[in-house]
Amino acid sequence: MSMSTPKTRTLTIRTPEGIAFSLQLAGPLIRFLAWSIDLAAISALSGVLKTVIDLIGLISADLAQAVLMAAYFLVSIGYGIVCEWNFQGRTLGKKLLGLRVVDGQGLRLQFSQVIIRNLIRFVDTLPLFYLVGGLAVLLSPRSQRLGDMAANTLVARNPEIAEPDLQQLLPDKFNSLRTYPHLAARLRQQISTPEAAVALSALLRREALAPLARLGLYHELAVHFKNKVEFPEEAVIGLSDEQYLRNVVDILFQETSRAYRA
Amino acid sequence: MIIDLGRFIAEERPYWRELEGLLDQLEKEPVLRLDLARIQRFHYLYQRTSAGLAKITGCSADQKIRLFLENLVARAYGNIHETRQKRVAIDCRGWFFNTFPITFRRHVKAFFISLAVMAMGGVFGGLALTLDPLAKEILIPFSHLEDSPAQRVAREEQRALERKAEPKSAFSAFLMTHNTRVSIFVLALGFTFGLGTMILLFYNGVILGAVAADYILADKTTFLLGWLLPHGSIEIPSILIAGQAGLIIAGAMLGRQSSLPLILRLRRLADDLVTLITGVALLLIWAGLIEAFFSQYHEPVIPYGLKIAFGLLELFLLTLFLFRSGKKTERVLPHVDVDT
């Protein structure tokens, strides 16, 4: 296994099988925000505990104070440990901001790693507001605070990745361009891999584009592909640029014959 | 190369879903153990998905599909290639009587260094106070110890009966949490190449040495021993064990005797560090209880002789425990070479 960390703060792990996958590392700002949320969660949890423990005060004020002190201590130390161990490296703040603690070599996170990174937090928080930890994250090539270095962990961005829905992109509809199989074959031959990737990405990111930018982009791409292979007038009449592009992508990425399904 | 995405996804989707389900199960149940058939299936799914990722990376597929597969492969990789033992269930008794003392002995050199540093601090504090009694305010920065030992002994013995009625639970909890926090800090400062750990140990030694010298010079040695031994015989070794853990980190960082990279050196020590600090926390709970409920009573409530004997007995038992407990288990364990 080999690893590399380019300037973009992405850790690429190459497995013995020759496969590479990358982890996008979280920067100090987003980590600070996640910690702020966690701090609020710890305060809220402590508040709830105080309300419950106050009931013990009816029996003995001294005992209530002792239990409260121990509870605060356990919550402040145990919050990170319990959350990160039970929720696959995520505290509430990390979950909300799409972050996750992972092993530094992409392996399974161990309980001892979770404990160590949370104990070394004592040094990272010095002298105030995570100054030592924040500086370490800034200076470290793998964006690690001291606790992460000691435990060999990383905080990576962990967006919820759903299985791609190709049916939505390439619905089972009549494609007028397929009625000319020789031209469709020429289109597949003429278009390069990067050009095909651009067309597919443009359609998959449809909702992320502003309406005007989308119209402009689709028009530009449609003109580009029309110049590559010219289809007869009756095949393209009434097709918007977007539909033309969808038909092109359908031809490029779905080889299975759907030519005459109309 | 442009691949037929529709067919590719349609063919591979069932395998991805199966792998995803298996991974969800493994992540939700960290103690889950798969049988051989399922492990083989898991490995097949990992390899098939990896092959899919390789295929899609080299062609014009969309980034979303690549990210989805990368995520699956990354999760599976972590489980397939992990060689560290999975923690199945914690045997508390076995851990306390075997794992903890064995771990302590495995790094006993670091403990003795920790002891030596604190002892040097003690000697320095004792000498400083003997040579310059006016430095007491600086050496012992605690308001309840600013009186002369004679005054304090008189006051404590006079209040001995009143103390019985005073609430002690909160004080005990304060001692436990405070000392545990200090211990974690001593361990964590090992990351400063041990410098922070040694400074803290030395400083604690200075205070201890100065207090001891102050009481010995005032001929109040019996009170001193009766006051400090019952809880100190556990509390001080606990801080020393925390120092031991800090020095283990420092040793790994310096890595003079190891050719392994720092990451691997620290990785190999992770379990030992957790064992030591957990042991320290347990010992400090005991010390906190003794300090709040026993050490604060002086004569005439509890004779000093009894308190001293109790403290010595604790120290003897702790030494026996740390140096002898788990010897049988240790003998049958394979030799573990830890590079620090």
Side-chain angles (χ1 to χ4, degrees):
Chain A
M1 187 201 71
S2 67
M3 288 182 288
S4 63
T5 45
K7 281 179 184 170
T8 48
R9 302 235 169 176
T10 301
L11 178 77
T12 303
I13 297 175
R14 203 169 288 280
T15 71
E17 291 84 4
I19 305 299
F21 60 86
S22 46
L23 300 169
Q24 210 189 337
L25 305 176
L29 186 65
I30 194 164
R31 288 180 67 168
F32 186 78
L33 289 174
W35 174 73
S36 307
I37 295 171
D38 288 333
L39 205 62
I42 290 172
S43 305
L45 198 60
S46 303
V48 173
L49 278 173
K50 189 181 179 318
T51 315
V52 175
I53 292 167
D54 277 349
L55 295 175
I56 301 175
L58 299 173
I59 306 161
S60 159
D62 179 45
L63 185 66
Q65 209 186 337
V67 174
L68 191 63
M69 223 179 280
Y72 276 149
F73 178 72
L74 288 176
V75 167
S76 62
I77 297 237
Y79 171 82
I81 296 172
V82 170
C83 288
E84 286 172 10
W85 179 239
N86 286 304
F87 306 115
Q88 291 88 48
R90 280 171 293 199
T91 56
L92 181 66
K94 287 190 181 79
K95 186 167 170 56
L96 289 176
L97 295 178
L99 305 179
R100 182 178 186 170
V101 180
V102 294
D103 177 83
Q105 285 159 305
L107 299 173
R108 202 174 46 223
L109 198 62
Q110 300 286 305
F111 188 55
S112 55
Q113 287 179 291
V114 171
I115 292 189
I116 287 175
R117 78 180 298 279
N118 279 289
L119 292 186
I120 306 288
R121 195 185 294 279
F122 276 78
V123 179
D124 280 309
T125 52
L126 289 175
L128 277 174
F129 298 116
Y130 266 87
L131 196 65
V132 167
L135 280 175
V137 171
L138 274 176
L139 298 174
S140 151
R142 299 168 83 199
S143 298
Q144 289 171 299
R145 63 172 175 84
L146 298 184
D148 288 320
M149 291 179 199
N152 186 27
T153 51
L154 301 165
V155 179
R157 287 176 185 268
N158 181 53
E160 297 290 335
I161 301 169
E163 196 179 298
D165 183 8
L166 215 69
Q167 283 308 310
Q168 172 268 328
L169 175 68
L170 305 170
D172 221 5
K173 281 184 182 168
F174 171 68
N175 181 350
S176 58
L177 304 189
R178 282 190 185 272
T179 51
Y180 298 89
H182 63 293
L183 292 176
R186 193 184 297 166
L187 186 74
R188 271 198 291 272
Q189 191 190 27
Q190 295 268 319
I191 288 173
S192 68
T193 307
E195 282 174 321
V198 168
L200 182 63
S201 294
L203 289 178
L204 281 168
R205 289 173 198 164
R206 185 183 191 280
E207 299 311 319
L209 297 168
L212 274 178
R214 186 169 67 215
L215 286 174
L217 177 69
Y218 288 176
H219 175 69
E220 216 171 298
L221 289 170
V223 169
H224 178 79
F225 290 120
K226 277 174 185 169
N227 287 337
K228 291 268 178 183
V229 176
E230 201 177 328
F231 282 85
E233 183 69 22
E234 60 265 31
V236 293
I237 196 160
L239 285 186
S240 65
D241 289 333
E242 182 177 344
Q243 192 52 52
Y244 183 83
L245 202 59
R246 282 185 186 280
N247 288 356
V248 168
V249 168
D250 177 52
I251 286 172
L252 295 175
F253 288 96
Q254 305 235 79
E255 277 175 24
T256 41
S257 178
R258 300 193 328 197
Y260 302 104
R261 263 184 254 165
Chain B
M1 182 181 71
I2 300 171
I3 61 164
D4 182 348
L5 266 187
R7 196 164 70 190
F8 174 71
I9 292 181
E11 277 175 8
E12 297 300 317
R13 183 178 279 148
Y15 298 101
W16 299 344
R17 288 204 173 140
E18 192 181 342
L19 180 62
E20 202 173 23
L22 203 52
L23 286 167
D24 285 344
Q25 204 185 350
L26 281 168
E27 285 171 0
K28 272 181 198 150
E29 302 168 53
V31 293
L32 179 73
R33 279 186 183 271
L34 302 176
D35 57 34
L36 185 61
R38 286 189 81 195
I39 290 172
Q40 281 173 331
R41 180 71 182 162
F42 182 35
H43 191 241
Y44 170 75
L45 293 171
Y46 164 67
Q47 288 196 318
R48 189 171 180 125
T49 311
S50 294
L53 175 62
K55 201 172 178 182
I56 219 120
T57 308
C59 73
S60 61
D62 176 72
Q63 208 193 357
K64 252 188 184 173
I65 301 166
R66 192 175 53 79
L67 279 177
F68 173 73
L69 289 183
E70 268 195 359
N71 187 273
L72 264 187
V73 169
R75 286 169 69 196
Y77 168 80
N79 283 285
I80 295 268
H81 286 274
E82 182 57 81
T83 52
R84 290 170 293 184
Q85 208 175 7
K86 219 177 203 182
R87 210 174 279 270
V88 180
I90 299 169
D91 166 19
C92 294
R93 195 168 170 272
W95 176 87
F96 187 73
F97 288 104
N98 296 316
T99 313
F100 176 40
I102 290 171
T103 308
F104 167 82
R105 289 196 290 275
R106 195 183 298 141
H107 302 283
V108 78
K109 266 189 209 166
F111 176 80
F112 285 128
I113 297 172
S114 177
L115 177 64
V117 172
M118 192 182 258
M120 280 193 286
V123 172
F124 177 84
L127 280 175
L129 192 114
T130 310
L131 298 171
D132 181 10
L134 292 176
K136 183 178 170 182
E137 268 179 41
I138 299 161
L139 292 167
I140 312 170
F142 303 114
S143 56
H144 67 287
L145 296 178
E146 65 191 12
D147 296 340
S148 72
Q151 283 172 318
R152 181 166 177 234
V153 173
R155 194 179 64 235
E156 291 289 346
E157 287 178 354
Q158 201 180 350
R159 286 184 61 219
L161 288 169
E162 290 168 30
R163 272 196 184 273
K164 277 176 81 175
E166 282 176 7
K168 291 164 205 72
S169 303
F171 181 50
S172 173
F174 166 76
L175 292 169
M176 286 174 207
T177 54
H178 172 77
N179 288 337
T180 306
R181 215 171 252 135
V182 170
S183 299
I184 293 171
F185 202 56
V186 169
L187 170 140
L189 283 177
F191 220 83
T192 57
F193 291 92
L195 205 66
T197 301
M198 289 210 274
I199 290 172
L200 266 185
L201 288 171
F202 187 82
Y203 177 64
N204 275 290
V206 169
I207 297 172
L208 209 59
V211 170
D214 194 25
Y215 280 75
I216 291 167
L217 290 173
D219 203 19
K220 296 293 175 193
T221 312
T222 313
F223 175 87
L224 175 79
L225 293 175
W227 163 45
L228 286 185
L229 263 181
H231 64 276
S233 57
I234 302 293
E235 189 182 295
I236 295 167
S238 302
I239 304 285
L240 289 173
I241 296 172
Q244 174 188 23
L247 293 177
I248 292 170
I249 295 179
M253 291 193 65
L254 292 169
R256 285 192 308 126
Q257 291 165 9
S258 174
S259 54
L260 291 172
L262 175 63
I263 287 174
L264 290 183
R265 293 200 298 270
L266 286 169
R267 182 185 281 262
R268 290 179 71 174
L269 292 168
D271 282 345
D272 288 359
L273 294 175
V274 172
T275 297
L276 289 176
I277 201 67
T278 311
V280 165
L282 291 178
L283 291 176
L284 286 173
I285 290 174
W286 174 254
L289 288 171
I290 295 297
E291 185 168 1
F293 292 96
F294 188 71
S295 293
Q296 304 304 320
Y297 292 118
H298 303 288
E299 280 186 350
V301 177
I302 302 177
Y304 292 130
L306 182 67
K307 289 178 78 180
I308 294 168
F310 180 74
L312 288 175
L313 179 69
E314 277 181 310
L315 190 61
F316 171 72
L317 290 175
L318 181 67
T319 311
L320 201 65
F321 165 71
L322 290 173
F323 286 91
R324 302 298 307 168
S325 186
K327 276 274 180 192
K328 273 186 196 164
T329 316
E330 198 173 17
R331 263 182 235 124
V332 295
L333 279 177
H335 176 71
V336 183
D337 181 27
V338 181
D339 299 299
T340 50

